[in-house]
Amino acid sequence: MPWFHIHRPIDTTKLSRDPDEAQKIRDDKLMHSRISLHLATQLLSQGRWAMDQARRVNLPTLIAYGRSDAMIDTSACHHLAIRMGDHASEASWPEMQHDLLHDLDRQQVIEHLIAWLDETYPRESDDPV
C-alpha cells in the first residue's frame, strides 16, 4: 500500500515557539500535512541504516537539534553523535523546537553554526570575509 497517504494536521507550535514564524508556516500555500506510507517507512528504515553506518562517516558533521523537539527522537541525535565518534559535533538547545533557524533563540544557533564552521574550516588569512 505505498500509495496510501497519512494526513495529519501540522501543529505549528511543534515547529517554532515564535508565533510570527508559526503563522508564516500556516500561511504557506506549499505546506502540506500528507505523507505516503512508503515515504514514512523509508524514513524509519533509512534512519536505522544511518545509525548502523554512522562509524563510517569520515567528515566533520554538526548534529544540531532542539531538546524540546516533539517531532523527532532527540535521543537518536545524541546516539548518532556518539556512534560517529570524533567526526561529530553535537549541539542542542533545551527550549528549542524543530525548526532551529526559525525559533525564538535562532541567533544562538546561527552564532554556534558560524563558530563551528570557522573552527572546522578555518579561512586563510588572505581570504575575503
Side-chain angles (χ1 to χ4, degrees), residues 25-105:
I25 293 166
R26 284 190 295 275
D27 293 343
D28 186 344
K29 302 271 189 259
L30 297 177
M31 182 61 73
H32 65 86
S33 58
R34 295 177 316 274
I35 186 169
S36 70
L37 189 54
H38 176 72
L39 179 57
T41 58
Q42 288 302 301
L43 288 171
L44 292 172
S45 69
Q46 294 304 313
R48 179 74 253 162
W49 183 88
M51 282 292 205
D52 292 343
Q53 302 299 316
R55 285 267 177 234
R56 298 180 67 189
V57 175
N58 61 2
L59 69 149
T61 304
L62 176 62
I63 299 171
Y65 58 95
R67 288 198 301 263
S68 292
D69 187 341
M71 298 185 76
I72 64 168
D73 179 359
T74 56
S75 67
C77 297
H78 177 68
H79 288 106
L80 179 65
I82 290 170
R83 288 178 182 213
M84 287 177 64
D86 294 339
H87 295 292
S89 298
E90 182 179 4
S92 63
W93 293 267
E95 301 298 321
M96 295 193 76
Q97 299 287 0
H98 188 73
D99 194 344
L100 298 177
L101 297 176
H102 294 101
D103 208 338
L104 291 174
D105 300 321

Side-chain angles (χ1 to χ4, degrees), residues 102-126:
H102 294 101
D103 208 338
L104 291 174
D105 300 321
R106 65 184 141 264
Q107 194 57 40
Q108 291 177 25
V109 176
I110 293 167
E111 289 170 7
H112 187 89
L113 177 58
I114 291 169
W116 181 82
L117 286 168
D118 284 344
E119 181 181 325
T120 307
Y121 300 100
R123 288 179 270 207
E124 298 295 325
S125 60
D126 59 348

